[in-house]
Amino acid sequence: MTVWLDSVGVLGPGLLGWDAAREVLAGVRPYCDEPLPAPRTTLLAANERRRTTPVIRLALQAAEDALGHASLPAAQLGSVFASSSGDMEIVDRICTALCLPERPVSPTQFHNSVHNAPAGYWTLGASVRMPSTSIAAAGRTFAAGLLEAWTLVAVERQPVLLVAYDWPAPPTLQPHRPLAAPFATALVLRPEAGADPGPRIDLQLQAGAFDTLQDPALEALRNGNPAACALPLLAVVAGGESAGVSLPYSETQVLTVQCRQA
Amino acid sequence: MQPLVLASFTLTSALGRGRAATLASLRSETSGLRACDFADARLDTWIGRVDGLENEVIEGALAAYDCRNNRLARLGLRQDGFAEAVAAARARHGAERVGVFLGTSTSGIRETERAYAERDPAGRLPEWFRFDQTQDTFSVADFVARELQLTGPALVVSTACSSSAKVFAVAYRHMRAGLCDAALVGGVDSLCLMTLYGFSALELVSPQPCRPWDAGRAGINIGEAAGFALLEWPGAHQPDDAPVLLGYGESSDAYHMSTPHPDGAGAALAMSRALDSAGLTADRIDYLNLHGTATLTNDRSEDRAVTRVFGTSVPCSSTKGFTGHTLGAAGIAEAVIGALALQHGFIPGSCNTGQLDPHLHAAIVLRNREAALRTVMSNSFGFGGSNCSLVLGRRQ
């Protein structure tokens, strides 16, 4: 059940798109954690775009980055959207509204509060009728999303877009879900090698310790945002090596990802 | 797909705790809905409420997980010998080889609602608020895994109303890919102000008991439920009458965030894919449990989709007039109802439906009907255009 990595997208402080970020992640250029500019998407009509939130646009912009390098069009891709915390800004607004006498919950905010809102806007904006799943798994969200995407490719024999994203909480919730900075990554996986294949990917759950990053600022990002748990894998892909990397999974297991570059 | 056996399954909802209570309510055509009496909700609507959760406080080692959603999860696990069946599977396969794949839409958000109501003058939330174990979307799977000491692959699917149908597909793929040998699937969603007021803001909530497919239907009633199934490859140790997952189909609408495609194209695609997955033609489905939320748009779209795939001959009903719309638990609730229908040989009628909408053409069964069923399909369609259909059948 081999799976090939077709393309990558990334969006985070100092990591503005795969083209710019890959040299940083490969250790060729130093990392500089400049704040992330407001995320943007080109996918939606203006009226739909106006209704999106920063979290939604973060996920979409990362997806667009991966699609920009992919060998397959969006419409052919199933998708997995993975976030540990979803849109906490909307939760904050709705819970605040519920404390007012009239309880003025906004209908748009409510339908944007579903965990699969970014996935919904993705399928809408890219006109995708292939199935989409949105998942959450706390600290193991990236690894769980990667496993889910891998099983889709391996069992359904279909190419898949994985988008992992997390956005810091507003002030009231921040002490209770302390995310350091926004981050998103997107991977396109396919069941056979394309014309210009990326590495082959094999996954295994096993006992062990997860890998950390040498650069202290990158490690702070990795440790401070569940979506950024992808960073060690992105570093291996960026460096073009054949290597294994272990990602956090549970108290007893890690997810080991073997990348075999062509 | 290769069939998976539902080696054990259970449902706790407004119809009662466990399969016997659920079956008795279905058989006697007794709806579980009541006028909304939840918290201080000042809404003119009906709900499906599980009694007694106020007394089901989680204490001891997992006390940090105490919240309405996890209490309902635990109550659900304790019915029908389900926890014991999982323990046996854990012994048989190993704790790391049993996956946990659950659906929810709002998780423990009720705790956050309560915490916001107790903000101090500086706007800080009270000391007792525990985001990780309650609001966090993964909390219910984390809690269930710890409660049953399972350490296999785990995740929560949160795709609104299709969540706890999609988990069946997730489990199949994880098992087929060799990541686990058995899977605990299901879903839990509990009453909270966010969904009551949110759906009301969208004008999708009915002031009366919901009436799917009715000419006078006026929207949903929100319900809560915890449902679970233990999935395994067929084996000699499972009961002969255990239902079987024969197929699943998933799709996206790509139409609108809160309104289904008017032609039901995405829904039809999910149903067709489910038939293909099961290796069945449409005429082989003996009963279709509709998503049937009783909104004007869902029922109209779903009717188009059903008649496109099945024509007007397959007997259909919505059981949301029994349980309410249990959102992230709707998929599992209706899979369990479908499984009970298969095992006991009857089609549950579309409770509360009186005068069928003359513009809709699906063959709605209004009153319970005895019928030897070989296969049942169940539909679950969610916000953001996420669609999933399941096909259940009998062991050969």
Side-chain angles (χ1 to χ4, degrees):
Chain A
M1 294 198 185
T2 301
V3 165
W4 271 266
L5 179 63
D6 186 75
S7 68
V8 181
V10 69
L11 190 60
L15 299 168
L16 303 183
W18 184 243
D19 287 339
R22 62 195 305 173
E23 290 197 329
V24 173
L25 293 170
V28 170
R29 275 200 293 120
Y31 174 61
C32 189
D33 67 346
E34 285 150 8
L36 181 66
R40 291 165 15 180
T41 179
T42 67
L43 286 178
L44 298 163
N47 63 334
E48 286 291 354
R49 199 164 51 229
R50 261 197 297 278
R51 291 190 207 136
T52 60
T53 64
V55 175
I56 291 166
R57 293 193 293 274
L58 174 73
L60 294 181
Q61 188 174 343
E64 289 182 65
D65 188 28
L67 260 298
H69 303 91
S71 64
L72 295 166
Q76 288 185 22
L77 306 176
S79 56
V80 176
F81 282 73
S83 176
S84 74
S85 309
D87 199 325
M88 291 184 280
E89 174 73 38
I90 287 197
V91 167
D92 175 78
R93 297 227 181 137
I94 294 178
C95 287
T96 301
L98 290 172
C99 291
L100 297 175
E102 332 79 59
R103 293 185 163 150
V105 175
S106 145
T108 301
Q109 278 184 2
F110 178 64
H111 78 58
N112 278 351
S113 73
V114 292
H115 194 70
N116 62 310
Y121 280 102
W122 162 256
T123 57
L124 204 55
S127 298
V128 180
R129 288 172 56 198
M130 292 290 286
S132 181
T133 299
S134 292
I135 69 150
R140 69 176 88 171
T141 294
F142 178 74
L146 185 56
L147 279 167
E148 172 65 11
W150 183 75
T151 65
L152 274 163
V153 179
V155 175
E156 311 282 7
R157 311 301 298 155
Q158 79 189 34
V160 172
L161 166 71
L162 166 67
V163 186
Y165 59 97
D166 261 310
W167 186 278
T172 305
L173 290 171
Q174 172 69 3
H176 304 275
R177 178 45 60 96
L179 296 187
F183 182 87
T185 185
L187 308 177
V188 176
L189 303 172
R190 50 186 300 179
E192 71 291 302
D196 183 17
R200 282 178 42 184
I201 303 284
D202 289 286
L203 302 182
Q204 175 120 21
L205 284 170
Q206 59 191 55
F210 57 82
D211 292 324
T212 56
L213 296 167
Q214 295 226 323
D215 180 296
L218 274 175
E219 172 58 19
L221 180 57
R222 187 204 68 77
N223 193 45
N225 183 317
C229 286
L231 281 169
L233 172 59
L234 300 185
V236 165
V237 174
E241 331 137 40
S242 290
V245 62
S246 290
L247 308 178
Y249 196 72
S250 68
E251 282 152 24
T252 53
Q253 292 188 307
V254 294
L255 178 66
T256 299
V257 186
Q258 292 292 342
C259 294
R260 283 176 251 271
Q261 308 272 0
Chain B
M1 58 167 278
Q2 294 179 273
L4 280 177
V5 174
L6 281 68
S8 181
F9 61 95
T10 186
L11 176 64
T12 291
S13 72
L15 294 181
R17 302 177 178 195
R19 286 155 52 173
T22 304
L23 188 62
S25 297
L26 292 171
R27 282 277 198 209
S28 64
E29 296 176 315
T30 307
S31 168
L33 299 173
R34 71 179 75 181
C36 181
D37 62 353
F38 179 71
D40 64 345
R42 298 180 286 276
L43 289 167
D44 190 21
T45 187
W46 287 56
I47 57 172
R49 180 173 184 164
V50 175
D51 284 317
L53 288 177
E54 298 69 27
N55 305 325
E56 297 285 333
V57 178
I58 298 171
E59 288 160 344
L62 298 178
Y65 289 84
D66 185 52
C67 63
R68 190 176 185 87
N69 212 56
N70 289 334
R71 290 182 189 183
L72 180 50
R74 192 180 66 166
L75 183 64
L77 291 173
R78 288 178 173 183
Q79 309 305 316
D80 296 319
F82 186 80
E84 289 77 4
V86 173
R90 181 170 157 275
R92 196 159 44 242
H93 303 290
E96 275 183 355
R97 300 295 302 175
V98 181
V100 177
F101 309 112
L102 300 178
T104 191
S105 68
T106 46
S107 193
I109 206 88
R110 179 80 192 112
E111 293 300 283
T112 316
E113 293 171 2
R114 296 196 313 115
Y116 269 67
E118 292 182 27
R119 283 168 295 177
D120 72 12
R124 286 179 299 228
L125 299 177
E127 287 279 313
W128 53 258
F129 178 60
R130 300 170 310 278
F131 188 117
D132 289 354
Q133 292 90 358
T134 60
Q135 176 181 332
D136 186 274
T137 304
F138 182 62
S139 157
V140 66
D142 187 19
F143 171 70
V144 166
R146 290 177 189 276
E147 179 81 351
L148 300 181
Q149 297 169 71
L150 300 174
T151 53
L155 55 79
V156 161
V157 172
S158 191
T159 55
C161 317
S162 62
S163 301
S164 57
K166 288 173 77 72
V167 290
F168 282 83
V170 169
Y172 176 74
R173 288 187 289 259
H174 277 68
M175 291 172 69
R176 190 78 178 81
L179 291 167
C180 56
D181 301 313
L184 192 171
V185 301
V188 187
D189 248 335
S190 45
L191 292 168
C192 61
L193 299 180
M194 181 172 296
T195 48
L196 284 165
Y197 282 87
F199 279 103
S200 292
L202 285 164
E203 299 185 334
L204 293 175
V205 173
S206 172
Q208 292 297 318
C210 66
R211 295 184 275 165
W213 255 252
D214 194 293
R217 66 190 184 277
I220 72 175
N221 294 153
I222 292 168
E224 59 189 357
F228 304 102
L230 174 64
L231 299 180
E232 292 183 316
W233 300 116
H237 62 278
Q238 295 139 357
D240 284 338
D241 71 338
V244 171
L245 178 71
L246 294 176
Y248 60 83
E250 302 172 276
S251 74
S252 301
D253 265 12
Y255 177 72
H256 191 275
M257 285 304 290
S258 54
T259 310
H261 192 291
D263 286 341
L269 191 52
M271 287 187 273
S272 299
R273 285 188 174 148
L275 289 172
D276 288 344
S277 165
L280 295 172
T281 48
D283 60 294
R284 297 281 307 280
I285 299 297
D286 294 329
Y287 163 54
L288 171 52
N289 182 293
L290 300 160
H291 186 52
T293 60
T295 65
L296 282 170
T297 50
N298 174 82
D299 292 2
R300 193 164 53 213
S301 299
E302 191 173 4
D303 191 81
R304 296 237 167 88
V306 168
T307 51
R308 184 198 305 191
V309 175
F310 291 98
T312 54
S313 54
V314 68
C316 306
S317 71
S318 167
T319 49
K320 288 189 164 70
F322 278 107
T323 55
H325 187 351
T326 56
L327 306 178
I332 186 69
E334 290 153 30
V336 169
I337 289 172
L340 290 172
L342 265 174
Q343 285 186 324
H344 297 274
F346 79 108
I347 294 172
S350 200
C351 186
N352 293 339
T353 304
Q355 184 88 19
L356 285 172
D357 184 333
H359 300 112
L360 305 181
H361 307 293
I364 304 297
V365 175
L366 291 175
R367 306 298 306 278
N368 286 356
R369 177 191 299 174
E370 297 299 296
L373 303 174
R374 301 157 303 170
T375 61
V376 170
M377 179 178 280
S378 179
N379 287 344
S380 298
F381 308 140
F383 268 12
S386 170
N387 306 310
C388 184
S389 296
L390 302 177
V391 178
L392 300 176
R394 300 233 199 120
R395 299 191 75 172
Q396 294 309 315

